[in-house]
Amino acid sequence: MSQDKIGYVPFVDSASPPAPQDYAYGQPNPAGFVLPPPDYSVMPGAPGAPGAPGGVPFPPPGAFMHPMYGQGGPGFPQAPFPHATPYNPAPNPAPTPYQYTPDASNAFYQSDEPPPVYDHEEIAISGFDDKTVRRAFIRKVFLVLTVQLVVTFSVVALFTFEHNVKTFVRQNTWTYYVSYVIFLVPLIAISCCGEFRRKHPWNLVALSVLTLSMSYMTGVIASFYDTDAVIMAVGITVVVCFTVVIFSLQSKYDFTSCAGVLFVCVIVLFVFGILCIFIRNNILHIVYASLGALVFTCFLAVDTQLLLGNKKLSLSPEEYVFGALNLYLDIINIFLYILQIVGRSRN
């Protein structure tokens, strides 16, 4: 049997590598052994070949020598292709209208009315637009201002009615210059350092030092005038300042738009004051004092409207120390200029 190899076709692949020498499965094939080609003549279902068991022939092979089923082979008639069921979509139901049902658990929405619509103008931009905050801010400013004025005019009354104190300050004028230097330090700190004047309680400490030094300087100046002139100047100052403050709070005219004009007036007044130092004329000094009282009266109106918050310029609610300082300096300057007018007019 091993000697008869007629009908075998040797199968040699020249491109394949030589067979490995280490065989993992079974024994190696003998030299010259090749696989015999398949015989399709004896395949079941082929013409002239025996069929499947039971006498029914197998279907003919296809292109890849696999049996073909249901394609009209011997014993298998041509089967009809199945037809798909026609698609009959169901009609969409009509949409149900939306019915609003209020939530009974929420007491706010108990009616069918829509929620209220607010205009953008009513939305508060900052806390200063709230009337409660504004009123509290104005109340705090005037409270601080009242304490300052009480302290200042108490010192003025002491220096005016107490003869020994009046004599002492007239003989020791150096104390006036010392108090002036002390006055400048907190004034620069509060005016130039925004963070410092908002920091509690250091802002109140600086304001207290400034008030005491300014009170001493005002008392020293008042000690050089007669008692009647000082009393008259205090009365005129109270009437003028009270009238200007009430008018500024109620007026619709925006005085804050005139801040630039008042700044120019201050420069002119400063130059005029330097001229009065070298020209000793009583009439010229009265004119200078009158202009100064008029300019600082306008400044009082501007600084009062800065507290309202509904003008062109306004102060923040945190600037109550700065607002009280502005009003305080305006009133003290008005008092000093009026005192100068009354005193020089009586002389």
Side-chain angles (χ1 to χ4, degrees):
M1 185 70 182
S2 61
Q3 299 296 329
D4 189 7
K5 293 184 174 55
I6 300 174
Y8 287 88
V9 178
F11 180 78
V12 179
D13 188 2
S14 60
S16 61
Q21 298 301 323
D22 187 9
Y23 300 95
Y25 302 98
Q27 296 295 327
N29 295 325
F33 176 79
V34 293
L35 292 176
D39 187 5
Y40 297 107
S41 61
V42 295
M43 182 176 178
V56 181
F58 286 105
F64 297 95
M65 300 303 173
H66 294 287
M68 303 294 291
Y69 298 95
Q71 298 297 325
F76 294 92
Q78 179 70 32
F81 290 99
H83 297 281
T85 306
Y87 175 70
N88 294 320
N92 294 329
T96 305
Y98 175 73
Q99 299 292 335
Y100 172 73
T101 304
D103 187 6
S105 60
N106 193 346
F108 184 75
Y109 298 101
Q110 291 296 330
S111 62
D112 296 336
E113 298 179 358
V117 179
Y118 298 97
D119 297 332
H120 294 287
E121 298 178 355
E122 298 180 0
I123 300 177
I125 307 280
S126 62
F128 194 80
D129 294 331
D130 190 359
K131 293 183 178 181
T132 304
V133 177
R134 185 194 311 175
R135 291 174 181 174
F137 169 68
I138 297 175
R139 191 182 306 114
K140 186 183 296 185
V141 169
F142 281 101
L143 179 62
V144 175
L145 177 63
T146 303
V147 174
Q148 290 179 283
L149 293 178
V150 168
V151 172
T152 301
F153 286 103
S154 298
V155 174
V156 170
L158 178 64
F159 283 26
T160 302
F161 294 101
E162 183 62 34
H163 180 71
N164 295 328
V165 176
K166 180 184 292 189
T167 304
F168 173 79
V169 297
R170 284 183 176 182
Q171 294 177 355
N172 300 275
T173 55
W174 60 270
T175 57
Y176 175 85
Y177 300 102
V178 173
S179 62
Y180 191 80
V181 174
I182 297 175
F183 165 78
L184 288 177
V185 174
L187 177 64
I188 295 174
I190 295 176
S191 302
C192 300
C193 303
E195 188 67 25
F196 176 78
R197 64 174 176 253
R198 299 187 189 98
K199 187 179 297 184
H200 184 81
W202 298 110
N203 52 358
L204 295 179
V205 172
L207 187 65
S208 301
V209 174
L210 184 145
T211 303
L212 292 176
S213 58
M214 189 66 182
S215 300
Y216 184 82
M217 289 190 296
T218 306
V220 171
I221 295 174
S223 65
F224 288 91
Y225 291 90
D226 296 334
T227 304
D228 297 340
V230 174
I231 296 175
M232 189 179 299
V234 170
I236 296 174
T237 302
V238 171
V239 173
V240 170
C241 295
F242 183 79
T243 304
V244 171
V245 169
I246 296 300
F247 177 75
S248 301
L249 293 176
Q250 300 297 328
S251 176
K252 295 182 179 180
Y253 183 77
D254 188 4
F255 291 101
T256 61
S257 59
C258 304
V261 178
L262 292 179
F263 180 74
V264 176
C265 293
V266 168
I267 296 177
V268 174
L269 186 65
F270 178 74
V271 176
F272 196 2
I274 296 176
L275 182 63
C276 292
I277 295 176
F278 300 98
I279 301 177
R280 297 291 181 175
N281 191 331
N282 195 28
I283 303 298
L284 186 63
H285 282 268
I286 293 177
V287 173
Y288 167 74
S290 301
L291 293 177
L294 179 61
V295 169
F296 279 96
T297 300
C298 296
F299 267 112
L300 180 62
V302 172
D303 293 334
T304 302
Q305 289 192 346
L306 288 177
L307 308 179
L308 300 180
N310 56 357
K311 304 299 180 181
K312 182 179 180 181
L313 301 177
S314 61
L315 290 178
S316 172
E318 300 177 355
E319 301 285 352
Y320 66 95
V321 171
F322 187 65
L325 175 62
N326 291 335
L327 296 178
Y328 174 73
L329 294 179
D330 294 338
I331 295 174
I332 295 301
N333 280 284
I334 292 174
F335 167 71
L336 294 178
Y337 283 119
I338 292 177
L339 179 60
Q340 185 176 354
I341 294 172
V342 174
R344 291 187 178 275
S345 299
R346 292 173 64 89
N347 293 331

